[in-house]
Amino acid sequence: MRIVKPLARLAGVTLLGLVAALPARAESLADTLVAAYRHSALVEQNRAVLRAADEDVAASVAALRPIVQWVASHDIDKSEGEPTGRSTSLYLSASLTLYDFGRSQLAIDGAKEQVLATRQALVSIEQDVLLNAAIAYFDVREAIQQVALQQNSVEVLSRERQAAQDRFDVGEITVTDVALADAQLAETRASLASANGQLEIAREGYLAATGKLPGTLSAPPPLPKLPANVDAARGIAQRTHPAVLQSQRQAAAAEISVAAAAAERNPTLSGTASVGVIRSPLSRLNGNDGSTNTSAVGLELSQTIYSGGRLSASHRRAMAERDQARSSLLNTARQVSQNVGETWANIDVARAQITAITQQISAAQQAYDGVREEALLGARTTLDVLDAEQSLLEARADRITAESNLQLAHYQLLSAMGLLTVENLKLGIPTYDPSQYYNAVRNAPATSKQGESLDRVLRAIGRN
């Protein structure tokens, strides 16, 4: 046993050392999107906005229920020639809207449409958060590649500068050639410093989007599949984009608001009931015990005949807001269609750029190799070599940017079509279910099984 324990301890230490020596897992694009979805305070803010809209439905439902109140009062009466009278009363009263010609139901329907519109607004926010995370991911990867490219260029130019110095030492070239090499090297070092600065900026953008600084980023996944053509993409966007769906719900709510404003002119039938007790010293003088019990029930039918034009103004305002909502829906649909067309064009442009730049790099590489060989034979100057090297560097930098733009454009197109969601991207994480809170509050619970369900929902989202 004394031998086994040290061996076991040694094996454990060795295992821990091997685990520590393993490289950290590279972060994928999916990891970045998941971190952004879970970290975003903007998403949390709009989830709270949605819960507030859910409560509007509960408030509208509650308008059809009885209102029970208690009222306590103490009165003092003083009349000339009469003793001072005092009375204390306590009433319990209840009132209930029996029929209002559909006003309350219209209010409920309008609140439900606003809930559905707010849900689509939340989806839009989630899409923006995921797109910003994708932008941050591709920005960091591009910045890292640009830094590596500039570092390699500095190394190449350092060797070119040393070669120029060696040729100057043996009298093959002039001091001007060495100065040109020095200038080009200094310019490339400046570009490297700029690239490092852009990398730090990209890292800060990643931190803001995901809540953490980027580690080692893995290569992006295969590009998402696209619809057959731009018209198909536009059709998908009109059916699924949350901005379009939100505007549709807002237009429906505006239509209901017009009907509700017109219904304000209708009568209201209400029922009332009350019980109470009045205690007065004067009752004792009359032979009573000082307390009087009261009770009453009644029906009340009321209708506004004249309100100074308020009801007419409210109706006209509702119609104007309905027209605004209809125009907003049309404008939103056009903007979504335009965004799809622009992002589709960006994909085509990036593809064409990559093809052309690849050919440019191949030609620039051949030119650089040829100019360098000719310079060794004295047929080319140092300036020719530096110019060829700079052209090759710029082409490689342009290809890095074009490849990043192509990858990002695909996710921008998904966003433009309304498909940049956790479900469509298959990120494999639990998502926020807006129906949970709505189902718990839609019937305006107080203390009931529904109220207990609401408490569970609040605890689940950390808001209790």
Side-chain angles (χ1 to χ4, degrees), residues 61-128:
V61 169
L64 291 173
R65 294 179 179 173
I67 298 175
V68 181
Q69 297 175 310
W70 63 265
V71 180
S73 65
H74 181 73
D75 300 320
I76 301 176
D77 276 339
K78 177 64 177 176
S79 300
E80 186 176 355
E82 297 290 337
T84 301
R86 293 180 173 83
S87 65
T88 302
S89 61
L90 177 64
Y91 286 95
L92 183 65
S93 64
S95 62
L96 174 65
T97 300
L98 299 176
Y99 191 64
D100 61 1
F101 295 86
R103 279 203 306 273
S104 296
Q105 187 58 50
L106 286 170
I108 294 172
D109 294 341
K112 288 180 178 179
E113 289 294 337
Q114 289 294 349
V115 166
L116 295 175
T118 308
R119 286 184 184 181
Q120 295 301 325
L122 176 59
V123 176
S124 287
I125 294 297
E126 291 176 346
Q127 282 209 146
D128 291 343

Side-chain angles (χ1 to χ4, degrees), residues 33-53:
L33 298 179
V34 168
Y37 181 80
R38 291 174 171 170
H39 163 74
S40 176
L42 186 59
V43 169
E44 287 294 332
Q45 172 188 336
N46 282 269
R47 287 174 181 171
V49 171
L50 176 56
R51 293 196 294 272

Side-chain angles (χ1 to χ4, degrees), residues 246-308:
Q246 179 187 359
S247 294
Q248 290 174 346
R249 293 298 183 180
Q250 289 174 335
E255 293 284 357
I256 294 173
S257 295
V258 172
E264 287 294 328
R265 294 188 174 94
N266 296 331
T268 300
L269 178 62
S270 302
T272 60
S274 66
V275 294
V277 60
I278 302 175
R279 185 176 181 83
S280 173
L282 292 179
S283 299
R284 294 181 179 178
L285 297 177
N286 296 329
N288 296 332
D289 62 357
S291 298
T292 302
N293 296 326
T294 65
S295 61
V297 293
L299 291 175
E300 181 180 292
L301 182 65
S302 64
Q303 182 178 14
T304 301
I305 299 175
Y306 179 71
S307 62

